[in-house]
Amino acid sequence: MEHINTKPRRGRPPKHARDNQDTKAILIRSGLEQLTETGFAASGIDIILKKVGVPKGSFYYYFSSKEAFGTAVIENYASFFMYQLDRCLSDESLPAIDRLSIFVASAKQGMAKFNYKRGCLIGNLGQEVDLLPESFRPLLTQIFVSWQNRLAQCLQQAQHDGQLSFNADCNKLAEIFWVGWEGAVSRAKLVESDQPLQDFYDFYQAGLPKN
């Protein structure tokens, strides 16, 4: 994954007793919450700092700019999301073609946990890409591609096991899933219900070319 240098250029170490790495992790977590709910353009650094009680000078000890901070938040979210996706798609308790259902169930629980105020950070940022630093565009694209590749591998396993037609284009099917899934997540936030997620998954599964 492309990485932008986030080496601090200015600012001062925090006066808090908490470990530096803990403070940085807290800032990233607070940023994740804020960006997931309101987006990057509307998220001010002051709001994030106020939530965690870190002065602005200390913020710049860790991040050279809002862009560098946003990059760190995106990469942190992408790593966690990929871990969860891998866990679901590698679960051998289900046939490969049905493992996506574990991811869907987890997503439904996650959205309900936060009262449908949070969706997918990567999808949210993709919708406001014209307002973002240009460096975010290739980063977001690369993350989507990594998710598509992981799902394509699972579909290829289903193909190998005879659960999916050998004529199926697994890469294209994986791309279609993520395009549609992000729309379903947005609708779920709008209507405050996980029904759009389930409806999309059912529709997607029904359309898979099976043997």
Side-chain angles (χ1 to χ4, degrees):
M1 179 181 298
E2 181 180 332
H3 179 75
I4 296 175
N5 183 13
T6 59
K7 183 178 180 181
R9 298 177 182 174
R10 52 195 170 95
R12 60 182 182 277
K15 295 180 180 179
H16 300 273
R18 64 168 72 112
D19 179 78
N20 283 1
Q21 286 303 114
D22 287 344
T23 301
K24 186 175 182 179
I26 290 170
L27 284 168
I28 290 175
R29 184 165 61 249
S30 178
L32 175 59
E33 294 172 358
Q34 188 68 27
L35 267 62
T36 304
E37 291 188 14
T38 65
F40 183 83
S43 294
I45 295 300
D46 290 340
I47 297 175
I48 295 170
L49 297 180
K50 185 177 181 180
K51 285 185 177 181
V52 296
V54 174
K56 185 173 290 188
S58 295
F59 171 85
Y60 287 113
Y61 174 76
Y62 297 108
F63 306 101
S64 60
S65 63
K66 183 181 178 182
E67 179 177 350
F69 176 62
T71 299
V73 172
I74 291 169
E75 292 181 339
N76 181 272
Y77 177 88
S79 296
F80 175 76
F81 189 98
M82 181 59 84
Y83 170 79
Q84 295 294 333
L85 184 61
D86 277 340
R87 180 180 60 82
C88 295
L89 297 185
S90 62
D91 189 336
E92 297 184 355
S93 68
L94 286 178
I97 200 167
D98 294 326
R99 293 174 191 170
L100 197 55
S101 66
I102 306 175
F103 166 77
V104 173
S106 177
K108 289 166 63 177
Q109 292 175 359
M111 291 199 73
K113 178 180 178 181
F114 295 106
N115 299 314
Y116 301 97
K117 294 185 180 299
R118 300 184 193 175
C120 171
L121 175 64
I122 309 304
N124 289 354
L125 294 178
Q127 292 180 24
E128 60 171 335
V129 67
D130 289 337
L131 303 175
L132 303 179
E134 188 58 33
S135 63
F136 284 12
R137 186 185 296 270
L139 181 57
L140 296 173
T141 299
Q142 191 170 4
I143 291 169
F144 274 128
V145 170
S146 70
W147 297 352
Q148 289 170 197
N149 290 342
R150 186 63 187 88
L151 178 54
Q153 291 173 15
C154 184
L155 293 175
Q156 288 163 2
Q157 181 63 51
Q159 207 171 38
H160 179 271
D161 295 341
Q163 301 154 1
L164 191 64
S165 170
F166 280 101
N167 295 321
D169 185 337
C170 294
N171 290 320
K172 182 59 64 175
L173 288 173
E175 180 182 2
I176 289 171
F177 174 81
W178 290 112
V179 171
W181 177 256
E182 293 300 335
V185 170
S186 295
R187 179 62 63 89
K189 287 181 63 179
L190 177 65
V191 301
E192 299 182 323
S193 167
D194 61 22
Q195 194 60 49
L197 303 182
Q198 189 63 49
D199 288 345
F200 173 71
Y201 173 71
D202 292 343
F203 178 80
Y204 180 81
Q205 276 288 89
L208 289 176
K210 302 172 184 177
N211 287 327

